Amino acid sequence: MKFFLPDSQDLVDPSFDFENEQRAKDRRRQRHDLYAHEVFSQPAFDGFLVSKGMVDGFGALGSRYTLSQRLRLSQIGAPEFFRVNRAPHPLQIMGDCGAFTYVKEQKPPYSVDDVMDFYATCRFDYGVSLDHVILDFLPEADAPGAGPRAVPAAIRRRQELTLEYASEFLHKHTRGRHAFKPLGVAQGWSPQSYATSVKRLQQMGYDYIALGGMVPLKTQDILRCLQAIQAQRAHGTRLHLLGVTRTEHIEEFYRLGVASFDSTSPLRQAFKDAHDNYYHNGLTYTAIRIPQVEGNTSLQQRIASGQISQNQARKLETACLQAMRLFDSGRRSISKVIEVLLEYEDLYAPDAKRNHAKDYERTLRDAPWRRCACDICKHLKHHVIIFRGAERNRRRGFHNIWSFYRHMRDSGTDTHEFTVGQQVAGLKERACRTN
Amino acid sequence: MSDELRLPALEVHQSKGRKLYSFAVDGKLLQDFVTVSRVRRGDGNELSGYQRPEALAHIQEIRAYLEAPSPLIPNSIILAFDSRVRFEPAKGKTSLPYVRTGTLVIPLEKNIADPDKPGFVVDGQQRLAAIRDANIHRLPVCVTAFITNDVRQQTEQFILVNSTKPLPKGLIYELLPGTDAHLPSPLHRRKLPALLMERLNLDEDSPLSGRIRTTTNPTGTIKDNSVLKMIENSLSDGVLFHFLRPERAHGADVASMGEVLHHFWAAVARVFHAAWGLPPKKSRLLHGAGIISLGHVMDAISRVRNVPLIPTEAQYVEKLMPLQELTHWTGGSWNFGNGERRKWNNLQNTPGDIELLSKYLCTPYQKQASRSL
Ligand SMILES: [Zn+2]
């Protein structure tokens, strides 16, 4: 199976100095920063998923790209923009329209031509047809005798629209003799409706089909859909799961024809999840929170209002960082570290329902970063487990991607061998150094 | 155990009943006897104190400056002492009626709590915090102090010193190229663009010579901000990026960057000569949207592979020719496609309009780049 990483301009700054928390003054965003594939000497994913909605920005969701970056992307193409030649194994780039960015609209804000044009100018390897997400899941509509009124017309309309776009997309793809491989999108509200979509897409001529709108579904519902699709799936038709990672069911997905999927969750969990921030051998650990005094809004407000002393906050923050440093060199006990961490937590989150004592205890006792073989953990040491600022948090996210990918490879869904590249080792060390 | 610090000082009689003390002291010592009065509300809701919290990012900047070789902090720290601090005049007469030399005597107490210290910082808390944190042995600073037990006087002075108007941005940009100091990051980032803009505006052979409006060139018609933006875009994502040289002065091959900019804008002047001579009101060419969008065109042209790294003026002219029939700088209307039509002067210096115009102007180079594959 192939794992695509959705792009949202996630990079780390190799000039970041972890001790003084400063960057090189002449660092330029993106140009001097590193993508995950530039950090690891072993593969951590198979490709990028680049969304039109992410690049252009839509409505209130502004773009993560500056205008200059967007123009450069369209002029030099995605492979050069993402510097995929620096990856330890060949990376492919898939384009989609980012249907979740306009899910509330009546109709997608783009035409098939707009999307086609985006894929061609960016020189993607794969292009997903234009679609409109269905958020509702109504499996009861599959019951015998449920009748057409079980599904509102607006929902049916989205599926129909998506299929019409897929048909137009394939025609234009052939006529324009485009180099990228086209994927049709199946949208549905139930196992049967997904299966119908897949059937019709196959009739149009698609043999690679993306399943959209499954992000909010429960794993069991996804499996039910895949099983229904299985009855319609032609030999040789491959499936792509848009936005879905359910690590524990990877093998089952694989058996049901899923050839690829994309997900940001290994990255996002590193700094969004309440507990599961660090992946290791199929387990997850809670990262150690040491927020910056200047950067924690509620703490800043309480300091500015005079409720708590800035000096006190800074002292505790420094003490926590110091305790982690000493712990990692074996000169501070777990209980002593937790004591100071909790003292700081009392200050920055006095209303927390439960403190992190138990989670921290487990994280520190197992100290999983010491056993991780990835380039980040090898060089960054305990900084990778500290929940603090984008440079640490994103590196932990990169580690999660690596760890997740390795776990997936080990689960027996591997279809091909990869060679491990060493040509960019110098770069990796720069990205991870701690001094 | 109590002790005292004796510092040579000047006492200045400034007005009736108002005396100032001027002295020098190692900034590292100051924390022993001064503190910051943090603003807060007490139990009875009364306001006490007057200072805001330290701005850590700002302190980091000052600190980096202090750790660089031979830093200089010319402006005085301003302190308010309570009456435990006293002045002992030196013996003998002074020739001026308003000033006398002597010794300022400051009581020192070990392990004294912050609120009990005899001095409060009225101005300079960020500098003092930076001196405290900096990895330096010492840094003597000039101090101006007054003695009062009245917190209102302190607050008054705090407001007065902190409510001055900051320098206009444009003046700062114009001053930047002439500095060598370790500057705060936001200013540091603007220094190279400011230097390149200065060249464009001052070099006699520059196509933009004298045309950029700055504090010292008020008759210029092109906005300094538009030129800075154009240069910054190119430094990040365009042709100028390739001339960054971290090891050199200004971190760049400034001469080559100047050449690129001169060649391109000279070519623009030739290709669009009619619109070039007109003020922004009569032509959108030298208006913010025009300048920034053409900067993107410069980058797009320079990316096309069959052009050497520093294109000549003639090469830029050749590449710009296709735009002649697509542009409507001084009249008529723009046809951006998809039914988007705009009267020539209905293009504003907004992100939306700049994007519209930039994409439109870059289209010919996009196709060229695809074909050259
Ligand atoms: Zn790791």
Side-chain angles (χ1 to χ4, degrees), chain A residues 107-144:
Chain A
K107 277 183 71 177
Y110 315 122
S111 67
V112 169
D113 284 322
D114 290 339
V115 173
M116 197 73 113
D117 203 45
F118 173 64
Y119 298 167
T121 54
C122 290
R123 294 166 207 172
F124 293 143
D125 300 292
Y126 300 95
V128 178
S129 66
L130 179 61
D131 67 328
H132 209 19
V133 174
I134 296 173
L135 285 176
D136 311 68
F137 192 65
L138 312 161
E140 61 278 7
D142 286 352

Side-chain angles (χ1 to χ4, degrees), chain A residues 20-22 25-32 56 66-72 74-76 80-81 114 117 120-121 123 293-294 300 303-307 310-311 314 317, chain B residues 38-41 53-57 60-61 64 114 132-133 182-185 188-189 233 235-238 241 244 296 300 303 305 354-355 358-359 362 366 369-370 373:
Chain A
N20 296 305
E21 312 208 323
Q22 284 175 326
K25 288 213 161 193
D26 293 310
R27 165 241 183 179
R28 289 193 178 267
R29 278 173 191 279
Q30 204 270 348
R31 303 307 298 267
H32 296 145
D56 292 354
T66 63
L67 172 59
S68 307
Q69 286 176 334
R70 286 201 290 281
L71 289 168
R72 187 159 58 85
S74 68
Q75 284 157 16
I76 65 177
E80 198 177 326
F81 186 88
D114 290 339
D117 203 45
T121 54
R123 294 166 207 172
V293 169
E294 193 155 273
Q300 273 309 106
I303 289 171
S305 68
Q307 287 173 43
Q310 184 176 31
N311 250 343
R314 282 189 47 173
E317 178 194 16
Chain B
R38 302 260 174 248
V39 66
R40 65 186 177 276
R41 295 258 168 212
E54 292 174 3
L56 302 186
Q60 281 279 26
E61 299 279 9
D114 270 346
R132 171 196 71 203
D133 295 348
H182 187 104
L183 293 164
S185 301
H188 178 86
R189 271 195 292 279
N233 286 340
L235 283 169
S236 295
D237 289 277
F241 174 82
L244 291 174
H296 287 132
R303 253 193 279 280
R305 293 184 192 150
I354 290 170
E355 172 150 9
S358 299
K359 284 187 167 165
C362 287
Q366 185 123 342
S370 310
L373 264 185

Side-chain angles (χ1 to χ4, degrees), chain A residues 40 278-279 369 372-378 384 399-400 402-403:
Chain A
F40 294 118
Y278 181 95
Y279 290 20
W369 64 93
C372 177
C374 89
D375 297 84
I376 299 259
C377 295
K378 270 196 294 193
V384 75
H399 151 90
N400 284 352
W402 184 92
S403 180

Side-chain angles (χ1 to χ4, degrees), chain A residues 397-409:
Chain A
F398 283 7
H399 151 90
N400 284 352
I401 293 169
W402 184 92
S403 180
F404 167 74
Y405 188 75
R406 206 165 138 116
H407 192 65
M408 186 182 99
R409 287 271 159 264

Side-chain angles (χ1 to χ4, degrees), chain B residues 122-237:
Chain B
V122 174
D123 186 45
Q125 74 152 334
Q126 319 292 357
R127 277 167 282 156
L128 285 185
I131 295 171
R132 171 196 71 203
D133 295 348
N135 197 7
I136 49 175
H137 172 57
R138 71 159 178 235
L139 192 84
V141 289
C142 295
V143 178
T144 303
F146 51 96
I147 298 176
T148 175
N149 283 332
D150 183 358
V151 79
R152 280 179 312 176
Q153 269 192 39
Q154 297 180 14
T155 311
E156 229 171 77
Q157 292 306 318
F158 173 72
I159 294 169
L160 291 176
V161 296
N162 285 294
S163 54
T164 51
K165 208 167 177 231
L167 281 177
K169 283 253 157 46
L171 177 59
I172 294 179
Y173 300 149
E174 204 168 349
L175 294 172
L176 272 181
T179 60
D180 290 320
H182 187 104
L183 293 164
S185 301
L187 287 182
H188 178 86
R189 271 195 292 279
R190 278 252 144 153
K191 192 170 153 179
L192 179 56
L195 177 73
L196 291 166
M197 178 169 78
E198 185 187 68
R199 290 273 174 104
L200 276 176
N201 211 14
L202 297 187
D203 288 356
E204 273 174 26
D205 60 338
S206 161
L208 292 171
S209 180
R211 305 190 66 162
I212 304 168
R213 185 163 70 239
T214 64
T215 307
T216 59
N217 186 37
T219 54
T221 50
I222 306 171
K223 276 194 186 153
D224 55 352
N225 256 328
S226 306
V227 177
L228 286 171
K229 187 79 193 137
M230 178 267 296
I231 293 172
E232 280 172 12
N233 286 340
S234 185
L235 283 169
S236 295
D237 289 277

